[in-house]
Amino acid sequence: MESALPLQGIPRSPSSLSGWTYQERIDRLRTTKMRHTEEKWQVIGSMDMDDHAIILPPADSRQIVQVTSGSGFTMTDVLLKEFIPTSNHPSGGFFGAKACGENFRTLLAMHPTYVDPVSSLAGGYMVNFISYRNPAWNPDFDFSHLHEDHQKYRLHHGIGAVQHFCQDMTIGLELGWGGILEKIRRFRGINTDGEAQELYDGLEAMVLGIQDWIERHVDAAQDAAAVESDPHLRQNLNEMADINRRLVTDPPRTFREACQWMLWYQIIGKMYNMGGALGRVDQFLYPYYERDRREGVLTDEEAIFHLACHFLMDTSYTQLGGPDETGRDRTNELSYLMLEAAHRLKIPVNVGVSVGRAIDPGLVRRGVEIMFSDKTGIPKFLGVDSTSEGFARNGYPIELGRQRAYSGCHWCAIPGREYTVNDCVKVNLAAVFDVALREMISDTTIRPGTAELSVRFERHLRRSIDIVRESLDFHIDHMYRVFPELHLDLLCHGPIERGRDASHGGVEFYNLCVDAAGLATVADSFAALEQRVEQEKRLGWDTLLGYLDGDWTGPDGERTRMMMKNIPRYGSGGSRADAYGVEIARMFTRLVKEKPTPKGFQLIPGIFSWAANILMGRDVGPTPNGRHSHAPISHGPNPDPGFRKDAAPTAMAVAVAAVQPGYGNTAPLQLELDPGISRDAEGRAKIVDLIRTHFELGGTQINLNIVDRETILKAHEDPAKYPDLVVRVTGFSAYFASLSPEMRQMVVDRIVAEE
Amino acid sequence: MNSSGVVFNIQRFSIHDGPGIRSTVFLKGCSMRCFWCHNPEGRHFQPELRYFPGRCIACGACVEACPNHAHELREGVHTFFREYCLVSGECVQTCYPGALELNGRQMSVDEVLEEVLRDRPFYESSHGGVTLSGGEPALAGVFAREILERCHAGGIHTAIETCGDSPWHSLEALLPWTDLVIMDIKLISPEKHLRATGRPNDRILANARNLAQTDKPLLFRTPIVPTVNDDPEEFIRIASFLKSLIDTRASGNNQESDAGGIAFELLPFHRLASDKYASLGMEYSAASLDPPTKSTMCALAEIATTLGVTTRIR
Ligand code: SF4
C-alpha cells in the first residue's frame, strides 16, 4: 500500500493531542497534496490542464511516456510499468468493449491502493488507462478521406473523443456495485445480440475490477489500523475498512458512505478516460445529508470535511444551486457547504455557482466573497437562465434544459441521458480565415475586398463545419468498437438496458458540441483590413500578403504590424471589429444550426477555445490583426488583451454577451480583476452586479481571476516560490507553477495588459 | 442641444467615483495646480501631446508627419521637442505603436452619451451611473450641463466630482441634473491652501457651505498628502469644517440618511501618477513624497470621528 504519511510519529499541534479538529485534518491533507503536486512537477514537468488530483505511482514502478490527453493535448505521463495491456489487434492496440474492460480490470488488479489515515475516504488514482492505448485508434476504421480537410482547416474534429458528458450519479448511489453487476447480468440475458454481449463483457470486467480494488482497500485500511498508534486515526482507519467492506456490493446509506461511493466512481472515471463530470452533487447527496442531520449523526463541519476529502482526490466539475425542472431554485445547505469546503482547501477545485433570476442570491454573494478572500479563481459563475432557455431553442422543452448540469470546463449535459462530446470539437476560425484570405488574394479574376473575403470565409466555414459533421458521424459509427464509454455507461439510462454504448445509441439525446475558437483574432483581422487596406489604402493586398508570409519582417514590418494591430478592436465598444465579432458569431451559429449531421445528430454551437488557443495558434501563420506566426489565437469569446485602455470589465461583458450563440452551450467570459477592486462589501456587491448583469444580457458563464499584478509577475519569474498560487486558466483552475511557460505567459499577459 | 467639449478619458467600470458601477467622463481644464494632483492630464483646457518613450520603435514616421519639426530622429533615437509642438495631432495618426497620444479630444454630447450608454444595464442593476470628473466639470459650462441633463432625463444617476473652485453660479447650474456632488476639501488654512494648490480657498469653502444648504447628497473628500494636511492640527480644522456643514444641513432640513446626506472620505496620496507627468512633460513635485501610512490614515479618521464626523478611508 502507498501511504500518505508515515503511520507513526506524526507530529501534532498540542491542541490536537486529544484528537484532531477537522481543520487540522484538512491542513494536513492539503500539505500531503502539495507534496504530491511538487513531486509531479519534478517528474512530469508542466501540466497544462486540470489538476486531476492524480498521485504518482511508487518510484520503482514508474514508466515515463509522452501521450495525448483526452482533450488532445500532448503531455508527459507516468505509467505503471508492471501493467502491459493485452492486444487484440495486429496493430498492437486493444479495441472494443471486451478488450478495454478486461485490460482495465487487469490494470486495477495491479494498481496500488491508497489510504490516508487522516482522510475520511479511501482511494486515489495513479495512472491514466488511456495512456496505454497505442495506437489509440483502430486503423481498420480508416478516415484518411477526411485528413486533407482536417489539415486544411486545422480542425479538432472529434473523432476518438472520450467522455465529456455526464452520468446520473443517483443510479450508482441507489444500486451500489453489487446492484450494477446484477443489472448488467440481467440485461445480458435479454439483449443477446453480439454488440450487446460484447458491451456486457466489458462492463462486467470493469465492475469486477472495481469491486476487487475496493476490497483491497479494505485490507489496506485494516493493515494500517493494526499498526496505527494514534487511537483516533486507528478508529478512522477501521471505519474506512467497515464502510468499504459494505460498499464492495451494497449501496451507501450515510453521507460519508455516499461521498466514498462517489469518490470510487470518480477516480475510476479519471483512471479510465480522464472523465470527471460530477454534476449536481448538492442535489444527489442532499437526501443523505438531510437524513444524517435529522438523525443527529452528522454535523456541518463533518460534512464539509467529507466533501473536502473528496475534492482532494477529485477536482471535478460541479454545479452549486440552480433550478429544478419547474424552475424552482434548488440551492440548499449543501450548496453552501461545498463552497465552504472549496474555501477551506484553497486548491484547484472546479465548483460553479448558479446565478439566475430565481436563484438564491446569497450563493453568488458568498461565491464572490470567497473569490476575493482566497484569490484562487474559485468558484466560477453559471448563467443558468440563458443556458436552459438557450437549450430549449434546439426544440426541447425548457424543463429538459433546466436538468442540464454543469459538469465540465465550459459545459453542461443532462445527467445520464445525453451524449455530447462537449469541448472536444473546435473550429479554428483563424485557420479558416487564413484559407479564405489566401484564396482571395491569389484569385486574379476578382478585386479583393472585405465583402468578398466575408463571402469566402463563410464558404470555408460552412465546409469546415460539414467536415465536422462527417467526422462526428464517423466517430459515432466506430467509437464503441475502439474505446467505449464503459465507465459512464454504468451510470447512464440506456446503455445497459439496450446493450449499446453511450457513444452508439445507448442514451436518449445526442447533442454534439461544436465550438468556434479565435473569434477576436478574426474580428480584429477583418476590421484591420477594412480600415487600413480598404479605407485608408495604407497598403495593398499583395503587400499585406508579403508581410504575412514574412511574419512582419522587413524594414517596415514591425511598424506595419503595429498599424494593423492598432485599430479600434473587438471589445472596445461600437467599433467595426465589434460588429465583425457579432457577425462572425452569428454566421457560425447559423451554419452550425443549418442542419444536423448526415446521420441526423443535432449540433449545438458554442465559442470556447479552452486552453488550446495556444495549441491552435501554433497551427496558424500571422494574421492581419498584427498577430505573429504561431502566437496563440484569442481566448474563447474574449477580446484580446489591450483591447481598451481601461480594460473595462463591463466593456468585455457587453462584447461577450453580444456574441453568444444562444443554444444552451456556452461562450464563457474570462475576467481578471485586481484585488483592490473590492476591499469592502460595497465593492463586492458591484462585482455581484457585474456578474448578474452579464447573465441578464445573455452571457452564459464567467471565469474570474482575482490576481494582483505584482504577485503574478513575481510568480512568473520564479514559479517554484509560489507553489500554492492557484489561477483560473480558462474553464479550469490550476496551480500556476504547474503550467508550461507558454501557458503562464498567456495568463500573465491577460492580467498585465489589463492594468 | 449638442454642444461639445474636450474630454481626456471616459473610464467604464469606474467603481470609486460614486455608488454602483459607473462611467466617469474626464473633462479637461482646471483652475487649481495641486502639486500632488493624481490627474495632471486634466489640468490644461486644450489637448496636448503625450509621449511614451518606452513604446517608441524609432520608425521616424512622426518626423515626416510633423509640420513644425517637433520630432527628431538622430542615430536611431527619437527626441520630442515639446516647445515646438502645436498639437496638430498629425504625428499621432502615424505613430502606430502608440508612443504619441493626444491627451484630450473634442467630443460632442452625443458622442459622450453614445459611449456611456453602453454600460446602461450595469448602471441599472448596480444603482450606478455617470460621473463627470476632470479637470473641473463646473468650468466646462454648457457641455457638462448637457451631459448631466441628458443622462438625468434618461433615468441615469449622475454625479460630479468638483474641486469647488468655480463661481457658485457655474456649480449651481449643474445641480438640477446632478444626483450626487463629490467635492474635495484639501485645506482650511488660506495661506497653506494658496501655497499647495495655487489658488485661494475662500470661494471653495463658500461653495461648500452653499451646497450644505441644498438638499443634494454630498460626498466630501480629503486627499491626505504628507506635509500638506496630514498633521492633526490642520486636519482638525478640516474635520471641524465638515462638522459645521453637517450641522448646517441638520438645522435646515430633516434628512434621514447619514449625517443628513453628507458623507466624508479620506483618500491616501499615492505616487501612481508619476508616469502621467512624465508623458506630459510636466514636473512632478510630489515625486519624493511617501504615501501616508495606514496608521496615519486611521489616526486621522479617528480624529474626525471624535469630532462627530463619520469617515471612511478609501
Ligand atoms: S512615430 Fe511613434 S514610434 Fe515612430 S519615431 Fe515617432 S514616436 Fe517613435
Side-chain angles (χ1 to χ4, degrees):
Chain A
M1 185 194 74
E2 259 298 283
S3 167
L5 291 167
L7 293 178
Q8 270 144 18
I10 303 168
R12 297 290 147 69
S13 61
S15 64
S16 65
L17 284 174
S18 58
W20 299 63
T21 65
Y22 287 119
Q23 190 55 47
E24 279 173 326
R25 288 171 74 178
I26 287 180
D27 291 344
R28 170 65 61 148
L29 290 165
R30 205 170 161 264
T31 312
T32 308
K33 184 183 168 78
M34 264 339 287
R35 217 187 55 230
H36 288 153
T37 309
E38 276 163 21
E39 205 185 348
K40 284 192 271 182
W41 293 337
Q42 278 154 23
V43 178
I44 304 180
S46 53
M47 295 168 281
D48 286 340
M49 52 194 301
D50 306 53
D51 173 89
H52 284 304
I54 192 169
I55 303 162
L56 291 178
D60 53 355
S61 30
R62 289 175 193 166
Q63 181 195 350
I64 296 167
V65 291
Q66 293 290 324
V67 291
T68 307
S69 77
S71 304
F73 241 69
T74 306
M75 57 174 211
T76 305
D77 204 6
V78 180
L79 303 182
L80 269 179
K81 67 177 173 213
E82 296 87 36
F83 171 61
I84 296 163
T86 307
S87 166
N88 63 347
H89 191 270
S91 63
F94 59 92
F95 306 109
K98 188 166 190 290
C100 290
E102 287 174 354
N103 272 314
F104 189 64
R105 185 181 177 185
T106 313
L107 172 65
L108 277 173
M110 295 178 183
H111 193 292
T113 55
Y114 183 84
V115 178
D116 186 327
V118 182
S119 174
S120 62
L121 310 175
Y125 91 107
M126 302 181 185
V127 281
N128 293 303
F129 182 55
I130 57 171
S131 298
Y132 290 96
R133 297 167 60 217
N134 186 21
W137 189 256
N138 183 339
D140 297 345
F141 310 131
D142 176 38
F143 57 98
S144 55
H145 58 291
L146 295 170
H147 280 346
E148 196 185 320
D149 283 316
H150 286 167
Q151 269 308 100
K152 179 174 177 184
Y153 298 117
R154 302 289 176 173
L155 289 170
H156 291 206
H157 47 68
I159 297 177
V162 293
Q163 43 103 4
H164 290 94
F165 60 107
C166 184
Q167 73 289 324
D168 180 351
M169 195 72 76
T170 59
I171 297 178
L173 293 173
E174 277 162 24
L175 293 177
W177 297 112
I180 293 171
L181 193 60
E182 255 176 60
K183 181 176 169 187
I184 296 169
R185 288 176 175 162
R186 190 164 92 79
F187 281 98
R188 186 193 271 287
I190 296 172
N191 299 308
T192 52
D193 62 286
E195 182 178 340
Q197 291 297 313
E198 156 109 17
L199 179 67
Y200 295 133
D201 287 343
L203 294 175
E204 199 170 318
M206 178 177 264
V207 175
L208 292 171
I210 295 169
Q211 288 182 312
D212 173 63
W213 195 47
I214 298 174
E215 237 166 54
R216 283 168 50 222
H217 281 82
V218 175
D219 298 340
Q222 269 175 340
D223 293 349
V227 294
E228 175 59 60
S229 57
D230 181 301
H232 301 279
L233 296 183
R234 188 163 59 239
Q235 186 194 336
N236 180 49
L237 286 162
N238 282 324
E239 282 166 8
M240 279 199 268
D242 290 344
I243 288 170
N244 283 301
R245 196 172 296 113
R246 289 195 66 258
L247 291 187
V248 171
T249 50
D250 294 358
R253 297 165 307 181
T254 63
F255 185 76
R256 180 175 178 183
E257 287 180 6
C259 287
Q260 175 72 77
W261 202 94
M262 173 169 82
L263 181 60
W264 288 126
Y265 182 76
Q266 288 297 115
I267 56 181
I268 292 289
K270 294 262 177 246
M271 198 191 302
Y272 182 65
N273 60 6
M274 293 186 173
L278 264 172
R280 298 182 67 171
V281 178
D282 61 356
Q283 303 306 305
F284 60 71
L285 284 189
Y286 193 70
Y288 301 90
Y289 169 79
E290 219 240 314
R291 199 210 61 135
D292 283 9
R293 291 290 281 144
R294 206 176 48 236
E295 295 190 359
V297 295
L298 180 77
T299 62
D300 278 355
E301 276 300 300
E302 195 180 345
I304 291 171
F305 179 67
H306 296 319
L307 292 166
C309 288
H310 180 99
F311 285 145
L312 278 156
M313 286 293 139
D314 170 37
T315 55
S316 295
Y317 297 82
T318 176
Q319 170 175 347
L320 306 182
D324 64 9
E325 288 169 51
T326 66
R328 206 166 51 96
D329 182 26
R330 295 301 297 259
T331 305
N332 59 34
E333 300 93 305
L334 261 188
S335 324
Y336 283 90
L337 296 183
M338 290 181 68
L339 205 47
E340 194 57 33
H343 173 46
R344 305 240 180 126
L345 282 169
K346 297 176 186 49
I347 60 166
V349 291
N350 290 295
V351 291
V353 162
S354 301
V355 183
R357 291 185 292 272
I359 311 301
D360 174 4
L363 198 61
V364 56
R365 280 203 293 267
R366 181 70 187 130
V368 168
E369 250 169 49
I370 288 179
M371 166 85 50
F372 277 95
S373 81
D374 294 358
K375 304 185 189 65
T376 52
I378 295 164
K380 63 183 282 165
F381 301 93
L382 317 169
V384 293
D385 295 328
S386 23
T387 45
S388 51
E389 284 158 18
F391 186 68
R393 293 180 63 209
N394 295 292
Y396 293 117
I398 179 123
E399 288 76 11
L400 208 55
R402 295 190 185 115
Q403 283 180 47
R404 277 192 130 202
Y406 171 67
S407 34
C409 230
H410 79 313
W411 54 267
C412 306
I414 308 168
R417 295 166 70 193
E418 189 186 17
Y419 183 76
T420 51
V421 293
N422 279 323
D423 211 4
C424 298
V425 179
K426 308 283 172 204
V427 176
N428 185 338
L429 296 176
V432 174
F433 176 87
D434 192 53
V435 171
L437 178 70
R438 284 167 185 282
E439 181 195 86
M440 179 187 75
I441 299 179
S442 64
D443 184 344
T444 50
T445 64
I446 49 114
R447 274 187 52 169
T450 47
E452 175 66 27
L453 182 58
S454 175
V455 170
R456 288 175 192 245
F457 176 70
E458 176 164 354
R459 191 158 72 225
H460 286 288
L461 189 57
R462 176 177 277 119
R463 173 81 186 137
S464 64
I465 297 168
D466 278 339
I467 299 297
V468 164
R469 288 191 179 92
E470 258 188 77
S471 305
L472 288 171
D473 275 351
F474 186 88
H475 167 82
I476 289 183
D477 272 349
H478 300 288
M479 193 60 189
Y480 75 105
R481 286 186 286 177
V482 177
F483 188 55
E485 297 290 347
L486 298 181
H487 170 258
L488 283 156
D489 284 345
L490 292 173
L491 301 196
C492 280
H493 302 271
I496 299 179
E497 291 86 337
R498 299 177 195 176
R500 290 291 177 271
D501 182 49
S503 76
H504 197 241
V507 293
E508 218 172 321
F509 303 108
Y510 286 77
N511 294 305
L512 310 178
C513 165
V514 181
D515 289 327
L519 182 69
T521 304
V522 175
D524 289 343
S525 291
F526 262 112
L529 292 172
E530 184 180 294
Q531 183 181 330
R532 300 302 197 196
V533 180
E534 270 182 337
Q535 288 167 358
E536 299 170 0
K537 301 204 181 345
R538 306 223 181 188
L539 76 173
W541 292 92
D542 287 328
T543 320
L544 172 85
L545 191 62
Y547 281 120
L548 295 184
D549 286 341
D551 197 12
W552 312 103
T553 50
D556 239 5
E558 182 57 8
R559 191 176 129 74
T560 309
R561 188 180 81 79
M562 290 290 195
M563 176 181 81
M564 298 302 283
K565 190 174 168 184
N566 204 340
I567 53 147
R569 285 158 57 191
Y570 164 68
S572 58
S575 69
R576 283 298 295 147
D578 280 291
Y580 273 115
V582 172
E583 200 178 302
I584 294 163
R586 290 209 181 123
M587 182 192 289
F588 174 74
T589 303
R590 174 165 46 78
L591 295 177
V592 169
K593 291 311 290 179
E594 208 164 54
K595 55 181 191 261
T597 70
K599 301 223 159 146
F601 297 110
Q602 167 149 247
L603 307 179
I604 302 186
I607 303 178
F608 189 54
S609 55
W610 194 73
N613 64 321
I614 292 181
L615 200 67
M616 286 188 267
R618 276 187 219 144
D619 280 344
V620 188
T623 36
N625 63 331
R627 183 185 142 274
H628 273 298
S629 184
H630 308 310
I633 56 170
S634 54
H635 181 233
N638 261 43
D640 269 336
F643 71 104
R644 257 182 85 90
K645 276 218 187 82
D646 60 9
T650 48
M652 253 200 217
V654 168
V656 171
V659 298
Q660 295 291 325
Y663 282 87
N665 282 6
T666 69
L669 168 68
Q670 171 83 38
L671 278 179
E672 334 293 326
L673 298 177
D674 187 87
I677 276 178
S678 89
R679 276 181 295 245
D680 51 16
E682 192 188 319
R684 287 192 295 273
K686 293 180 187 185
I687 304 302
V688 171
D689 291 329
L690 173 69
I691 293 169
R692 301 185 72 89
T693 311
H694 176 63
F695 291 145
E696 274 156 26
L697 293 173
T700 42
Q701 271 185 18
I702 299 179
N703 298 317
L704 248 175
N705 260 326
I706 308 297
V707 209
D708 79 8
R709 201 170 177 267
E710 309 231 311
T711 312
I712 203 83
L713 285 174
K714 279 193 208 139
H716 193 35
E717 258 170 42
D718 191 356
K721 276 205 188 127
Y722 294 81
D724 50 8
L725 175 65
V726 176
V727 292
R728 181 160 286 283
V729 180
T730 171
F732 69 85
S733 295
Y735 288 115
F736 186 70
S738 288
L739 302 171
S740 65
E742 230 175 340
M743 191 80 74
R744 286 202 299 261
Q745 187 66 51
M746 174 178 93
V747 174
V748 169
D749 285 349
R750 281 195 322 234
I751 292 156
V752 175
E754 284 172 23
E755 283 293 300
Chain B
M1 198 169 103
N2 188 20
S3 59
S4 68
V6 184
V7 174
F8 71 87
N9 188 15
I10 296 182
Q11 190 181 340
R12 289 165 72 178
F13 197 67
S14 173
I15 53 171
H16 300 303
D17 299 319
I21 297 173
R22 314 186 70 81
S23 292
T24 301
V25 181
F26 291 89
L27 306 174
K28 258 182 94 50
C30 182
S31 54
M32 292 178 42
R33 290 292 177 268
C34 312
F35 72 87
W36 64 86
C37 177
H38 291 170
N39 285 330
E41 320 96 292
R43 269 188 190 170
H44 299 136
F45 284 83
Q46 289 311 314
E48 63 243 283
L49 197 68
R50 293 181 76 176
Y51 173 50
F52 301 88
R55 299 181 197 160
C56 174
I57 59 168
C59 65
C62 53
V63 180
E64 302 276 306
C66 182
N68 216 36
H69 309 294
H71 299 283
E72 253 184 45
L73 196 65
R74 263 191 232 147
E75 289 164 10
V77 179
H78 166 253
T79 317
F80 170 48
F81 298 92
R82 189 173 289 279
E83 56 276 29
Y84 300 127
C85 179
L86 298 175
V87 202
S88 73
E90 306 267 344
C91 60
V92 175
Q93 296 299 317
T94 68
C95 180
Y96 303 127
L100 299 169
E101 272 179 16
L102 263 190
N103 176 41
R105 73 179 175 108
Q106 195 78 28
M107 283 181 90
S108 68
V109 174
D110 280 349
E111 285 171 320
V112 171
L113 261 288
E114 191 187 338
E115 178 71 6
V116 299
L117 284 176
R118 294 193 211 286
D119 280 349
R120 180 177 192 130
F122 297 92
Y123 311 149
E124 283 168 3
S125 67
S126 69
H127 306 287
V130 170
T131 301
L132 288 195
S133 182
E136 173 49 52
L139 296 182
V142 73
F143 180 55
R145 203 197 67 216
E146 280 183 20
I147 297 174
L148 293 168
E149 199 174 340
R150 295 262 298 271
C151 287
H152 199 77
I156 296 175
H157 180 277
T158 54
I160 57 170
E161 261 184 325
T162 173
C163 66
D165 187 28
S166 67
W168 168 245
H169 66 85
S170 313
L171 194 56
E172 193 184 23
L174 304 181
L175 295 184
W177 298 283
T178 303
D179 297 309
L180 168 70
V181 179
I182 305 172
M183 182 171 169
D184 271 10
I185 299 290
K186 287 154 186 141
L187 283 154
I188 303 296
S189 314
E191 336 69 63
K192 279 194 188 172
H193 194 277
L194 185 60
R195 226 179 304 130
T197 72
R199 297 283 301 166
N201 65 354
D202 44 349
R203 188 161 72 170
I204 299 172
L205 301 182
N207 282 343
R209 284 190 208 98
N210 287 342
L211 282 169
Q213 275 163 17
T214 69
D215 58 2
K216 284 281 155 206
L218 304 175
L219 167 60
F220 288 98
R221 284 177 166 176
T222 297
I224 300 299
V225 185
T227 72
V228 174
N229 58 7
D230 64 339
D231 56 304
E233 205 182 318
E234 182 60 32
F235 188 76
I236 287 172
R237 287 192 202 110
I238 295 173
S240 309
F241 178 71
L242 254 295
K243 177 70 173 117
S244 74
L245 298 184
I246 292 167
D247 292 344
T248 308
R249 180 162 287 191
S251 64
N253 53 37
N254 26 21
Q255 288 239 349
E256 275 164 35
S257 57
D258 59 317
I262 297 183
F264 186 42
E265 279 183 359
L266 305 183
L267 287 78
F269 158 81
H270 60 71
R271 268 195 308 241
L272 298 177
S274 74
D275 286 354
K276 296 183 180 178
Y277 282 87
S279 73
L280 289 160
M282 289 180 187
E283 191 197 340
Y284 185 37
S285 333
S288 58
L289 281 190
D290 284 326
T293 60
K294 231 187 180 141
S295 67
T296 306
M297 294 301 291
C298 292
L300 295 178
E302 190 58 43
I303 292 176
T305 311
T306 325
L307 291 170
V309 184
T310 319
T311 312
R312 174 170 143 153
I313 301 171
R314 268 280 171 195

